[in-house]
């Protein structure tokens, strides 16, 4: 049994989609008997994040939100973890951040033999279908991006190493790219989506200890 903390801000279409699709991660984690602390919507703030991190000392931290080289934000774009400020909270843990560019500086600063940071060293692309802004789980376009992304967390929960989890995610990205580029695919956005999936796949990195597992 592992302790998992997840942030799920929900203040714009992108974070709403991330939040809804991560409900699948929470479902599997709970089913397997893990203790899940869900910082949902307004609870995804700096004070709550810092307090829960210190109190429960999670084994796995799942960050969903906007970000930049040095930080990841929560609800209403409040910075909840920042390199040089409170990034020590991620030490000795596995972190997976679906947030633009955070692996470039924040992830590199955290990663060591006892700490793993999986994330993206460039912006993370998430293409949405406007028809499903209010019903994200029905958005097949977004699913092409979020199912592979979710593979990291789901693989970790299933007992894979961090390196294997990242590889499983990249494999899923690759499979979706191949499917989009097949001659039988009638989707007019297929080429653009395939390019963006390739971008995400190539810019996902596993830093620090890749052999650690839950």
């Amino acid at each position: 049994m592992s302790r998992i903390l997840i942030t799920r801000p929900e203040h714009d279409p992108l974070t709403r989609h991330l939040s809804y699709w991560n409900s699948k991660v929470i479902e599997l984690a709970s089913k397997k008997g893990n203790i899940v602390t869900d910082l949902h919507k307004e609870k995804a703030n700096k004070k709550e994040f810092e307090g829960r991190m210190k109190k429960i000392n999670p084994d796995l931290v799942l960050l969903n939100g906007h970000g930049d080289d040095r930080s990841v934000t929560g609800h209403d774009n409040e910075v909840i973890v920042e390199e040089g400020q409170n990034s020590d909270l991620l030490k000795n843990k596995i972190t997976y951040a679906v947030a633009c560019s955070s692996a470039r500086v924040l992830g590199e600063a955290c990663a060591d033999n006892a700490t793993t940071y999986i994330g993206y060293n460039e912006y993370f692309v998430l293409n949405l279908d406007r028809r499903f802004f209010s019903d994200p789980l029905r958005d097949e376009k977004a699913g092409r991006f979020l199912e592979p992304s979710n593979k990291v967390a789901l693989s970790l929960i299933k007992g894979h190493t961090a390196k294997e989890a990242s590889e499983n995610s990249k494999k899923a990205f690759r499979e979706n790219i191949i499917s989009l580029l097949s001659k039988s695919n009638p989707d007019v956005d297929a080429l653009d989506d395939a390019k963006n999936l390739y971008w995400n796949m190539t810019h996902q990195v596993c830093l620090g200890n890749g052999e650690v597992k839950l």
Side-chain angles (χ1 to χ4, degrees):
M1 180 177 66
S2 298
R3 299 178 300 278
I4 301 171
L5 183 144
I6 183 169
T7 65
R8 292 196 298 147
E10 231 179 84
H11 58 275
D12 60 22
L14 289 173
T15 55
R16 188 176 302 114
H17 269 67
L18 283 173
S19 175
Y20 273 66
W21 280 82
N22 268 272
S23 63
K24 299 182 178 184
V25 174
I26 294 172
E27 182 180 357
L28 178 66
S30 299
K31 184 178 179 180
K32 288 189 170 291
N34 299 287
I35 299 172
V36 181
T37 299
D38 180 18
L39 301 187
H40 189 209
K41 295 185 177 179
E42 290 83 1
K43 288 185 177 181
N45 62 68
K46 183 178 182 181
K47 181 179 179 180
E48 193 79 20
F49 175 77
E50 291 182 337
R52 295 298 184 122
M53 287 289 289
K54 293 172 183 176
K55 182 176 181 179
I56 69 174
N57 190 28
D59 306 292
L60 174 62
V61 181
L62 302 173
L63 302 174
N64 296 284
H66 296 291
D68 57 29
D69 292 7
R70 307 176 66 88
S71 67
V72 177
T73 65
H75 199 72
D76 287 336
N77 293 327
E78 178 185 359
V79 174
I80 60 172
V81 58
E82 183 176 6
E83 189 272 327
Q85 298 297 319
N86 60 354
S87 52
D88 58 311
L89 293 171
L90 302 181
K91 287 293 186 180
N92 303 316
K93 297 170 177 58
I94 305 172
T95 296
Y96 175 45
V98 185
C100 291
S101 308
S102 70
R104 186 182 294 171
V105 176
L106 173 62
E108 289 283 1
C110 294
D112 56 32
N113 289 335
T115 305
T116 306
Y117 193 101
I118 304 173
Y120 298 85
N121 58 20
E122 286 287 351
Y123 55 85
F124 177 84
V125 182
L126 175 53
N127 294 344
L128 309 179
D129 187 329
R130 291 179 177 272
R131 296 175 299 172
F132 300 109
F133 276 6
S134 61
D135 195 1
L137 292 177
R138 290 183 59 208
D139 188 343
E140 294 182 3
K141 176 185 285 288
R144 296 169 186 156
F145 293 80
L146 294 175
E147 285 180 348
S149 170
N150 275 0
K151 279 283 186 180
V152 174
L154 295 174
S155 295
L156 288 167
I157 291 166
K158 291 176 181 178
H160 292 265
T161 66
K163 182 179 179 181
E164 289 169 342
S166 180
E167 289 173 347
N168 290 343
S169 174
K170 292 184 177 186
K171 180 180 179 182
F173 275 121
R174 190 175 297 109
E175 289 171 349
N176 284 356
I177 292 167
I178 293 170
S179 176
L180 283 168
L181 296 180
S182 68
K183 292 182 179 179
S184 60
N185 192 324
D187 191 335
V188 295
D189 297 324
L191 182 58
D192 284 339
D193 286 350
K195 289 179 179 178
N196 292 149
L197 287 167
Y198 181 79
W199 175 270
N200 288 350
M201 179 183 73
T202 55
H203 289 289
Q204 184 191 109
V205 293
C206 179
L207 306 172
N209 188 349
E211 300 307 314
V212 68
K213 62 173 67 175
L214 293 180

